[in-house]
Amino acid sequence: MAIRMIAVTRVTGVVPVVLGLDPGSRHFGWGVVRRVGTKFTHVAHGIIHPSLTGTFAERLIAIELGLLEVLELHAPTHVSIEGIFFAKDAQAAAKLGHARGVALLVCARAGLPIAEYPPARVKQTVAGGGRAAKGQVAQMVRVILGLRAVPTADAADALAVALTHLADARFAGGASRRP
């Protein structure tokens, strides 16, 4: 199998376009948001659903290919990813780590700056409280971006991570943080 490399054409300067990622090996959420001045604008969002009938390695390949397609279609200038939370199930945490690693690799190979935000920070930024429920975060994402419908949980979380990056004072000043 050949490794597929892509070149992402990025607009530098005025309009940041952030790809937010909510990693998962079964449902991998992504959302693209841009900021013009102080206004946040929804570009696109979705969920990569790898087939559950194949091997775990095949799921990771599906995530890679899905992310490559998103990068090609939306040409983000930055990537933000939700940090790992500590789960009680070690096997689930390991699988999440593998999916997250694929995302980091794909985005790093594309030359994109990557920032990481803990789930509590994302909830605080979008919903006003670090312990906000998933439904509350999704509803606030809908309101902030002016969406007609509440996005599904994984896509809403990805959009929330993108919004967090766009709202980050260090990012607004030009700095970016790598995981």
Side-chain angles (χ1 to χ4, degrees), residues 164-177:
T164 299
H165 189 62
L166 286 169
D168 189 316
R170 289 169 290 206
F171 171 70
S176 75
R177 302 176 313 139

Side-chain angles (χ1 to χ4, degrees), residues 98-116:
H98 291 311
R100 194 170 180 281
V102 168
L104 292 171
L105 180 63
V106 166
C107 295
R109 277 195 175 148
L112 294 166
I114 302 165
E116 177 180 353

Side-chain angles (χ1 to χ4, degrees), residues 15 42 52 60 63-65 67-68 79 81 85 90 102 111 146 153 172-173:
V15 182
H42 173 263
L52 301 179
L60 296 177
I63 291 167
E64 175 196 26
L65 296 176
L67 285 175
L68 286 168
V79 174
I81 189 166
F85 62 93
V102 168

Side-chain angles (χ1 to χ4, degrees), residues 15-20 30-36 38-47 74 138 140-152 155-160 162-163 166:
V15 182
V17 179
V18 177
L19 170 61
W30 61 271
V32 181
V33 179
R34 71 175 171 217
R35 183 180 68 204
V36 178
T38 58
K39 182 172 172 45
F40 300 127
T41 305
H42 173 263
V43 175
H45 68 271
I47 301 172
H74 301 293
M140 288 306 299
V141 164
R142 185 195 70 75
V143 170
I144 292 167
L145 294 176
L147 302 175
R148 291 183 181 188
V150 175
T152 58
D157 287 350
L159 289 166
L163 286 167
L166 286 169

Side-chain angles (χ1 to χ4, degrees), residues 8-10 17-19 32 70-72 74-79 112:
V8 176
T9 305
R10 284 178 246 121
V17 179
V18 177
L19 170 61
V32 181
V70 169
L71 292 179
E72 288 181 79
H74 301 293
T77 58
H78 297 80
V79 174
L112 294 166

